[in-house]
């Protein structure tokens, strides 16, 4: 308001107010939709990929075989040293005679199994190191199944079976060599408890995984060995020798028992 010079009264004059103008965006402009207000916006994210990535698991596979090779070599040396620790003598009786024979058979079985585990693991590690092409797989499970299935089954089965045979033979040896009957039976019970505990962990930790478990692993081994024997003469000889040895022991066990009785 300003004071008028002649009338001495206040005269109110309108003062213009500047109102800022904002441009309409494309989302609010009526002309930008062109009658397509009801349409949904298209997603901007890319669709998820369905193909699995391939990786080189040669280092991990070599480490798995290395975990078997070192302890298998130690058990093989111990079994070779203890295989003939109980010489068989004439007139020992049925119990001692059978225990000594089973001890020798179990120790030789442990030595043979651990030798196979060492050889297979060593050769598999060499094959992985000297491979000329990079082998890829979506997972370590599929890598072992695709490229080293039979070698992985053989190494694990022979190593674990060798450990069980070795521990059982040690228990039998303690049973007949300790003169005190109480402590000899206690030693046998201790080693049998450890053997069953190892077998239980074997079944629990490997059942349902790509390692198959204690019950399925022998079945897969002989199925794979049978398949290999159809194309390789050396594998066929190994399979025939194994079957012949088992049947030979079963057929002649009664003769050994009659010999010990007499």
């Amino acid at each position: 308001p300003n004071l008028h010079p002649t009338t001495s009264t206040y005269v109110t004059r309108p003062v213009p107010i500047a109102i800022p103008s904002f441009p309409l965006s494309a989302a609010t402009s009526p002309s930008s939709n062109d009658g397509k207000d009801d349409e949904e916006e298209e997603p901007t994210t890319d669709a998820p990929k369905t193909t699995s990535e391939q990786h080189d698991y040669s280092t991990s596979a070599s480490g798995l075989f290395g975990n078997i090779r070192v302890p298998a070599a130690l058990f093989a040396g111990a079994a070779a040293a203890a295989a003939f620790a109980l010489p068989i003598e004439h007139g020992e009786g049925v119990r001692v005679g059978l225990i000594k024979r089973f001890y020798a058979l179990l120790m030789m079985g442990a030595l043979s199994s651990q030798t196979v585990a060492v050889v297979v693991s060593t050769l598999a590690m060499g094959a992985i190191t000297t491979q000329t092409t990079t082998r890829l797989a979506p997972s370590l499970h599929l890598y072992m199944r695709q490229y080293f299935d039979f070698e992985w089954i053989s190494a694990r089965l022979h190593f674990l079976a060798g450990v069980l045979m070795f521990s059982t033979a040690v228990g039998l040896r303690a049973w007949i060599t300790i003169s005190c009957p109480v402590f000899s039976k206690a030693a046998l019970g201790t080693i049998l408890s450890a053997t069953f505990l190892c077998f239980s962990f074997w079944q629990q930790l490997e059942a349902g995984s790509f390692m198959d478990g204690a019950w399925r692993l022998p079945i897969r081994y002989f199925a794979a060995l049978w398949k290999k024997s159809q194309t390789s003469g050396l594998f066929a000889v190994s399979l025939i020798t194994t079957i012949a040895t088992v049947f030979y022991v079963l057929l002649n066990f009664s003769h050994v028992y009659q010999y010990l009785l007499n």
Side-chain angles (χ1 to χ4, degrees):
N2 298 323
L3 182 63
H4 196 273
T6 57
T7 60
S8 300
T9 58
Y10 287 99
V11 178
T12 303
R13 296 180 180 179
V15 179
I17 300 175
I19 301 175
S21 60
F22 300 94
L24 295 177
S25 62
T28 58
S29 176
S31 59
S32 61
N33 291 333
D34 295 333
K36 298 180 181 180
D37 295 334
D38 297 335
E39 295 182 5
E40 297 180 355
E41 296 182 359
E42 297 182 356
T44 57
T45 57
D46 297 333
K49 298 181 180 179
T50 57
T51 58
S52 57
E53 297 181 357
Q54 302 287 324
H55 298 282
D56 182 12
Y57 291 95
S58 58
T59 303
S60 301
S62 181
L64 290 177
F65 284 111
N67 292 337
I68 293 179
R69 184 180 66 166
V70 176
L74 298 177
F75 274 105
F84 305 101
L86 295 179
I88 297 175
E89 299 176 359
H90 182 70
E92 293 175 323
V94 178
R95 185 178 72 91
V96 177
L98 285 178
I99 290 176
K100 285 187 174 182
R101 284 162 174 79
F102 277 113
Y103 171 83
L105 184 61
L106 288 173
M107 277 298 181
M108 293 304 299
L111 174 60
S112 302
S113 296
Q114 300 298 355
T115 302
V116 173
V118 171
V119 171
V120 173
S121 300
T122 304
L123 293 178
M125 294 175 66
I128 294 174
T129 305
T130 60
Q131 60 184 0
T132 57
T133 58
T134 303
R135 295 170 175 174
L136 302 177
S139 62
L140 180 59
H141 172 199
L142 296 178
Y143 184 91
M144 300 298 291
R145 286 289 176 89
Q146 184 175 356
Y147 302 111
F148 297 96
D149 187 38
F150 184 55
E151 292 81 3
W152 179 234
I153 295 173
S154 301
R156 287 173 40 249
L157 177 62
H158 284 92
F159 170 71
L160 295 173
V163 171
L164 295 179
M165 287 188 288
F166 181 85
S167 60
T168 304
V170 171
L172 293 178
R173 181 180 176 181
W175 186 20
I176 64 173
T177 55
I178 299 177
S179 58
C180 179
V182 176
F183 283 91
S184 63
K185 294 178 181 178
L188 177 62
T190 302
I191 197 67
L192 288 179
S193 175
T195 302
F196 283 112
L197 184 61
C198 293
F199 192 85
S200 301
F201 273 111
W202 178 10
Q203 175 63 21
Q204 177 184 350
L205 296 177
E206 295 193 356
S209 65
F210 75 98
M211 299 185 194
D212 305 312
W215 303 112
R216 189 185 174 192
L217 186 61
I219 299 176
R220 291 198 61 226
Y221 168 75
F222 283 105
L225 183 58
W226 168 256
K227 185 177 180 180
K228 287 283 186 178
S229 63
Q230 295 177 352
T231 57
S232 174
L234 292 177
F235 284 108
V237 172
S238 175
L239 179 60
I240 293 173
T241 305
T242 302
I243 296 175
T245 302
V246 173
F247 277 99
Y248 178 79
V249 173
L250 294 177
L251 292 176
N252 292 276
F253 180 78
S254 60
H255 299 286
V256 176
Y257 184 78
Q258 291 295 329
Y259 171 79
L260 294 176
L261 282 177
N262 298 328

